[in-house]
Amino acid sequence: MKVKFWGVRGSIPSPITPSQVQAKITAAIQRITANDIKTPDAREKFIANLPSWIFGTTGGNTSCLELTSKDGAKILLDAGSGLREYGKKGEKPADLHYHMFFSHFHWDHIQGLPFFDAAYNPKSEIDMYSAFDNFEGYLRAQQNTPFFPPSAGFDSFTKNITFHKVSPSEPFKIGGLTVNSCLMNHPGDSYSFSFEEDGKKFVYATDVEIQHKDLEYSDEKNAVFKDADVLILDSQYTVEESYKKVNWGHSAFCSAIDFAVKWNAKTLYLFHHEPVYDDKKLDSILTAARWYAKYIVHSDIKVYLSSEGMEFEV
């Protein structure tokens, strides 16, 4: 399985601001020495060695991941604003057949769908999956007048759309992939999905407020997470902020690590980043998360920060 991030922010798109760009430039300039600008090679080396929060950006689009199976099946996880980017720049399946999964239907997870170019191609075929009843109605509603131009409503999409109601803890197949799901703690509910192929497991778990019971083996639904090779998990808040936002439906990064280690995940990607956090703040959270995993939990779990454009294989 191959995975690529197209949107990693939570709640609302958060494009980089002019003041943040200026802060990056200032931070870069403060690091320059005379030797760093002597030659073209020196300049390139200086740029390459800048911290990632200065040289790049985590990205501001909301949730959307691309998963490609060994046989080329194209899985799209959530339809946040990152879906528009995938539609413009992503690799299209050879047969124009897409499988689209929805964790839930808060706007930051569906707002990219009306801007997904492939949906308007009459040759496209899209299978949509959700554990919610009447999710077709939810998707249609966001493109009704007055929220969207009448000429670009849901009925202007390809006619080759099929809606699939999935049932938690009842695995099913998409080609060589085995898919399972489970209900998570989030206002209005949210569902996580696992994908298994050739003995490898990938889990997508956005919008979840981890509770103590989630760390108990007696909660059978969480078997979806057990022994995951890669776990994408909501870690929107710092600990301090999570105390201020109880029942908002999101987790602190340390809770995400506790959960991942409890269920024996090998690799954790922090996901659904708080929209007010800039790249420097997110980099500090990654540093703190790795320290917490090593010195508090005493685990060798690999911890990464989800970023737009990042790719990996499971």
Side-chain angles (χ1 to χ4, degrees):
M1 291 177 284
K2 296 180 180 180
V3 177
K4 184 170 183 176
F5 293 99
W6 292 94
V8 299
R9 288 283 176 170
S11 304
I12 191 170
S14 51
I16 191 169
T17 66
S19 62
Q20 289 171 354
V21 173
Q22 292 167 9
K24 288 174 180 285
I25 294 172
T26 299
I29 290 174
Q30 290 173 342
R31 286 166 166 77
I32 295 177
T33 68
N35 289 333
D36 292 325
I37 58 175
K38 278 187 174 181
T39 66
D41 285 344
R43 291 192 289 272
E44 289 296 326
K45 183 178 180 181
F46 170 76
I47 292 172
N49 288 330
L50 284 172
S52 59
W53 69 266
I54 296 178
F55 184 62
T57 181
T58 305
N61 280 303
T62 58
S63 302
C64 183
L65 273 69
E66 171 194 2
L67 185 155
T68 306
S69 70
K70 183 174 66 174
D71 60 7
K74 191 67 68 176
I75 315 293
L76 298 172
L77 301 172
D78 275 331
S81 62
L83 181 63
R84 176 186 173 277
E85 290 294 309
Y86 167 75
K88 299 290 185 186
K89 303 173 184 176
E91 180 183 4
K92 297 178 175 62
D95 56 1
L96 299 182
H97 187 181
Y98 302 85
H99 300 271
M100 190 175 294
F101 284 76
F102 296 90
S103 62
H104 63 309
F105 295 90
H106 290 166
W107 275 353
D108 55 319
H109 292 261
I110 63 173
Q111 62 195 170
L113 183 59
F115 302 94
F116 180 38
D117 291 346
Y120 296 92
N121 184 344
K123 295 181 180 180
S124 292
E125 182 178 355
I126 306 176
D127 284 281
M128 296 185 173
Y129 304 82
S130 171
F132 285 82
D133 293 323
N134 190 34
F135 72 96
E136 176 182 356
Y138 300 156
L139 296 176
R140 286 183 173 276
Q142 77 160 335
Q143 286 176 253
N144 287 343
T145 304
F147 308 115
F148 215 73
S151 60
F154 196 90
D155 286 333
S156 61
F157 282 173
T158 174
K159 305 306 178 188
N160 305 315
I161 296 180
T162 305
F163 298 90
H164 303 269
K165 171 73 161 55
V166 305
S167 298
S169 301
E170 293 186 11
F172 61 96
K173 290 279 192 177
I174 296 178
L177 290 171
T178 299
V179 186
N180 203 354
S181 62
C182 66
L183 175 65
M184 307 306 297
N185 179 49
H186 187 71
D189 293 339
S190 180
Y191 291 83
S192 296
F193 298 98
S194 67
F195 300 84
E196 296 183 62
E197 181 181 57
D198 292 344
K200 296 288 187 177
K201 180 190 281 189
F202 167 76
V203 182
Y204 174 68
T206 184
D207 290 56
V208 51
E209 186 167 352
I210 294 170
Q211 300 175 305
H212 181 72
K213 67 178 182 179
D214 294 321
L215 303 176
E216 298 174 358
Y217 287 118
S218 59
D219 194 346
E220 294 181 1
K221 73 177 177 64
N222 287 321
V224 164
F225 298 93
K226 189 176 181 181
D227 299 327
D229 292 279
V230 177
L231 170 59
I232 309 295
L233 185 57
D234 184 315
S235 49
Q236 184 161 339
Y237 300 139
T238 61
V239 176
E240 179 183 7
E241 189 163 17
S242 70
Y243 290 148
K244 297 176 182 177
K245 296 182 176 180
V246 174
N247 296 325
W248 283 41
H250 303 287
S251 298
F253 68 83
C254 57
S255 297
I257 292 170
D258 289 339
F259 182 88
V261 171
K262 180 68 176 184
W263 290 99
N264 197 36
K266 297 179 180 66
T267 302
L268 171 67
Y269 282 83
L270 308 178
F271 186 70
H272 204 267
H273 309 313
E274 169 63 37
V276 302
Y277 293 169
D278 61 15
D279 290 309
K280 186 176 183 180
K281 174 74 171 182
L282 290 173
D283 183 72
S284 71
I285 286 175
L286 175 62
T287 299
R290 287 173 170 170
W291 182 92
Y292 180 85
K294 183 175 181 179
Y295 294 105
I296 303 300
V297 184
H298 304 293
S299 170
D300 60 358
I301 187 173
K302 297 175 182 176
V303 183
Y304 299 99
L305 190 75
S306 301
S307 300
E308 283 184 34
M310 180 182 287
E311 302 177 75
F312 60 85
E313 289 197 26
V314 182

